[in-house]
Amino acid sequence: MPLTLQEGDGGPGGPGTYDGSGGGADDDRRRRRRRRVVRWSAAVLALAMAGTATAGYLYYQHLNHNIRKESLNIGDSKDRATKTRANAAGQTPLNILLIGSDARDSAENVKLGGARDIGTAARADVQMLLHVSADRTNMSVVSMPRDTLVSIPKCTDAKTGKVYPATADTMTNASLERGGPGCTVATWEKLTGIHIDHFMMVDFSGVVSMADAIGGVPVCVDADIYSHTSSGHGSGLKLKKGTTSVKGKQALQWLRTRYGFEDGSDIARTKAQHMYMNSMVRQLRSNATLSNPDKLLGLAETATKAVTVDTGLGSVTKLYALSKELKKVPTARITMTTMPFVYSSDGNRVLPRPTDAAKLWRLVREDIALDGKDKKKTTTTAKVTDKAAADDRIAVRVQNGTKSSTESAVTGRAAAVTETLVGKGFTKAAADTSALLGAEATLVRYPSADLAGDAQRVAEVLGIPAAQVKKSTAVDGVTVVVGADWRSGTKYTAADDTTPTSANALNASDTKACMHVDPDYTW
């Protein structure tokens, strides 16, 4: 008697529900529907397949109990980011943190990880923020090297109640040891100011099982490589020059290789992971064998056992709904990047590159595509009929809002801009030193229509676009808020929305990408 899959809400007749009915045309329709579900179930989180990367989300109800679930954010509430508001069409972006755990919590993971004993504390050795635009036209992925030094907020383990105090200058991969993935999410929100909607975490065995399910992912090296040192370091990856389809343990070796790729740093490993993910996306979207549910069903049990997600995503119904959102993004609009960085003083760790990293986080927060292919946004401003007063009669308050999620406020900015205004004839301008604000973009605010003309005149003199002149009941007069986008200089320059070159952007449709091999690791 054939097994048939019904789509639905997860109850009787829902995904993963098996019945023993036959029925000719009805069976044909069910089989076609099942093939569609399985095909996208396999492809849904191709982007999560890096580092210790992914498991297949095959949406069958009987697999629900395999999916492990944990709290989304266990950090201190003051460090949490505000959820992005919906756009004019009511759409909101999706931010999903992909975590690759190096846990040695089973004999298989110990063997794959090259450890001797079970129980080594899990670390978040792969961290990638997947951002899906509100209109679902593009997707951006930002990797943070595991060696990045960050401030980890106070985290409380949701299961044990243990409190981990906040720390500074700590490697970001240690966040997972402090109560679980919810602390890694909290760390990202504190650093970037980006609200995380969900997380997905997988381990070594998850990578191997899914790589086997796919049947191989093509990767390229520009010379023969053997990742092995005389002291026993290295992933063991051994490939010939050119393109090879890797799967199983060999796929894991590729994703974990550090010694042998480029300069042997964690940055090079991140680049190799991006190449693998891009290739996997292309493979999943073109590989006809993945439409065969019989080949994937046997692997589904193993794959889902490797998955941990947040409680808001912990069912096949919700995962399937997510897959439908992700599949809307064309391959050519998927962009992989690495957080811009600088090396620490000792050269062994990295830090966010102050200006570039802050810019990248802003682009993601503002839902600006990292591939630069967004349609130009037209901004309409209300027609101002109020005539501006003479410059020397306009009272202006200037506030310092240069503090950002990654940079402290620039001392004296309010005074500097005030001096500029006074020099241009606005003798009633005054710096507000009562508080340091945090504003991503510079604004001119005014409380009522009778001051609109004055506000526009101030903006014109400073070079601030009319679209950044806003009516606000939070102020009692014309107020200039000097934002994080204007940290120096006396003339405002509109924000540059191009992706920093230091982010090393790589498009998912690039089929020519090839890892450079360190000559010391050839054979």
Side-chain angles (χ1 to χ4, degrees):
M1 189 172 292
L3 296 176
T4 57
L5 172 67
Q6 306 292 319
E7 289 187 89
D9 60 5
T17 299
Y18 294 94
D19 63 27
S21 62
D26 287 339
D27 275 350
D28 289 340
R29 282 193 294 272
R30 279 193 290 269
R31 280 193 291 271
R32 287 195 298 271
R33 188 162 57 234
R34 180 173 65 179
R35 284 195 294 271
R36 288 196 300 272
V37 173
V38 172
R39 182 163 52 251
W40 285 112
S41 296
V44 53
L45 291 175
L47 288 179
M49 301 168 189
T52 55
T54 197
Y57 293 95
L58 307 178
Y59 308 100
Y60 301 96
Q61 186 60 37
H62 77 285
L63 296 178
N64 266 339
H65 71 281
N66 283 346
I67 304 173
R68 290 174 288 185
K69 297 172 282 290
E70 293 198 26
S71 299
L72 174 62
N73 189 323
I74 60 172
D76 198 331
S77 59
K78 68 181 177 61
D79 295 313
R80 299 185 183 182
T82 303
K83 187 173 179 61
T84 306
R85 293 182 179 180
N87 62 17
Q91 304 164 308
T92 55
L94 274 171
N95 295 308
I96 305 167
L97 188 62
L98 311 177
I99 304 171
S101 163
D102 72 349
R104 272 76 167 183
D105 55 0
S106 68
E108 184 178 7
N109 277 331
V110 166
K111 182 179 179 181
L112 290 170
R116 295 182 178 180
D117 302 310
I118 293 177
T120 305
R123 293 162 299 186
D125 271 5
V126 175
Q127 299 175 38
M128 298 183 179
L129 179 64
L130 186 157
H131 172 85
V132 188
S133 66
D135 60 9
R136 306 302 188 254
T137 61
N138 66 87
M139 184 186 300
S140 302
V141 178
V142 184
S143 292
M144 187 192 302
R146 68 169 187 172
D147 295 341
T148 304
L149 296 178
V150 297
S151 293
I152 300 179
K154 182 178 77 173
C155 292
T156 304
D157 191 314
K159 296 177 181 177
T160 66
K162 181 176 180 178
V163 177
Y164 296 85
T167 67
D169 296 325
T170 304
M171 277 179 56
T172 184
N173 68 345
S175 59
L176 190 60
E177 300 173 320
R178 304 168 63 81
C183 193
T184 305
V185 169
T187 300
W188 271 78
E189 289 203 2
K190 179 179 175 64
L191 174 68
T192 68
I194 299 169
H195 173 77
I196 309 284
D197 298 289
H198 300 291
F199 74 78
M200 301 171 195
M201 182 173 71
V202 294
D203 57 18
F204 294 147
S205 61
V207 178
V208 172
S209 61
M210 194 58 190
D212 282 336
I214 296 168
V217 174
V219 294
C220 176
V221 288
D222 65 1
D224 298 344
I225 181 175
Y226 183 31
S227 178
H228 180 74
T229 70
S230 58
S231 59
H233 290 98
S235 69
L237 179 70
K238 193 172 186 179
L239 295 176
K240 291 184 177 181
K241 178 181 178 179
T243 299
T244 304
S245 182
V246 296
K247 62 179 181 179
K249 184 178 179 180
Q250 196 174 43
L252 180 62
Q253 289 173 333
W254 173 276
L255 295 166
R256 298 188 69 207
T257 292
R258 173 177 194 153
Y259 296 99
F261 283 156
E262 299 190 347
D263 61 357
S265 69
D266 194 49
I267 310 303
R269 172 162 49 193
T270 298
K271 183 177 179 180
Q273 291 167 356
H274 289 170
M275 289 185 185
Y276 180 92
M277 291 169 67
N278 284 342
S279 184
M280 179 171 283
V281 170
R282 297 192 299 269
Q283 190 78 351
L284 283 168
R285 292 186 173 188
S286 64
N287 193 340
T289 64
L290 294 180
S291 64
N292 184 339
D294 295 329
K295 292 184 178 181
L296 293 178
L297 249 148
L299 292 164
E301 206 71 41
T302 300
T304 54
K305 286 179 180 177
V307 177
T308 302
V309 298
D310 64 276
T311 52
L313 200 58
S315 72
V316 290
T317 303
K318 292 175 181 177
L319 288 167
Y320 179 56
L322 175 62
S323 77
K324 293 193 292 185
E325 295 301 302
L326 296 181
K327 75 177 184 180
K328 295 176 183 177
V329 180
T331 302
R333 294 299 312 277
I334 298 173
T335 305
M336 305 281 176
T337 62
T338 299
M339 177 198 76
F341 68 92
V342 292
Y343 283 103
S344 59
S345 56
D346 62 6
N348 294 323
R349 300 288 182 264
V350 300
L351 299 165
R353 182 184 293 271
T355 302
D356 286 1
K359 181 181 181 182
L360 193 64
W361 304 140
R362 178 184 66 80
L363 294 178
V364 174
R365 279 194 304 270
E366 296 180 7
D367 198 22
I368 297 171
L370 299 187
D371 62 4
K373 296 179 181 178
D374 269 343
K375 292 181 179 179
K376 295 295 182 182
K377 297 178 181 178
T378 57
T379 304
T380 57
T381 56
K383 185 177 181 180
V384 176
T385 57
D386 174 58
K387 186 176 180 180
D391 293 350
D392 62 357
R393 296 179 61 83
I394 299 176
V396 186
R397 176 183 296 174
V398 183
Q399 297 177 326
N400 186 345
T402 55
K403 181 181 179 181
S404 72
S405 59
T406 57
E407 297 178 286
S408 57
V410 178
T411 304
R413 282 303 290 154
V417 174
T418 298
E419 184 178 344
T420 297
L421 284 169
V422 172
K424 291 181 178 293
F426 291 82
T427 55
K428 289 188 176 183
D432 181 357
T433 58
S434 61
L436 294 176
L437 308 177
E440 293 300 328
T442 296
L443 297 172
V444 179
R445 293 173 172 169
Y446 63 95
S448 55
D450 62 311
L451 292 177
D454 292 355
Q456 290 281 20
R457 172 60 184 160
V458 171
E460 178 186 1
V461 169
L462 293 175
I464 300 171
Q468 291 169 228
V469 180
K470 306 285 186 181
K471 184 177 180 181
S472 171
T473 57
V475 296
D476 55 13
V478 176
T479 302
V480 177
V481 182
V482 184
D485 60 345
W486 191 16
R487 296 176 65 84
S488 63
T490 58
K491 184 77 172 180
Y492 178 79
T493 302
D496 174 15
D497 290 342
T498 58
T499 301
T501 56
S502 56
N504 294 315
L506 180 65
N507 189 274
S509 62
D510 184 352
T511 60
K512 297 181 180 179
C514 198
M515 283 303 296
H516 174 62
V517 175
D518 182 340
D520 291 338
Y521 290 86
T522 58
W523 58 280

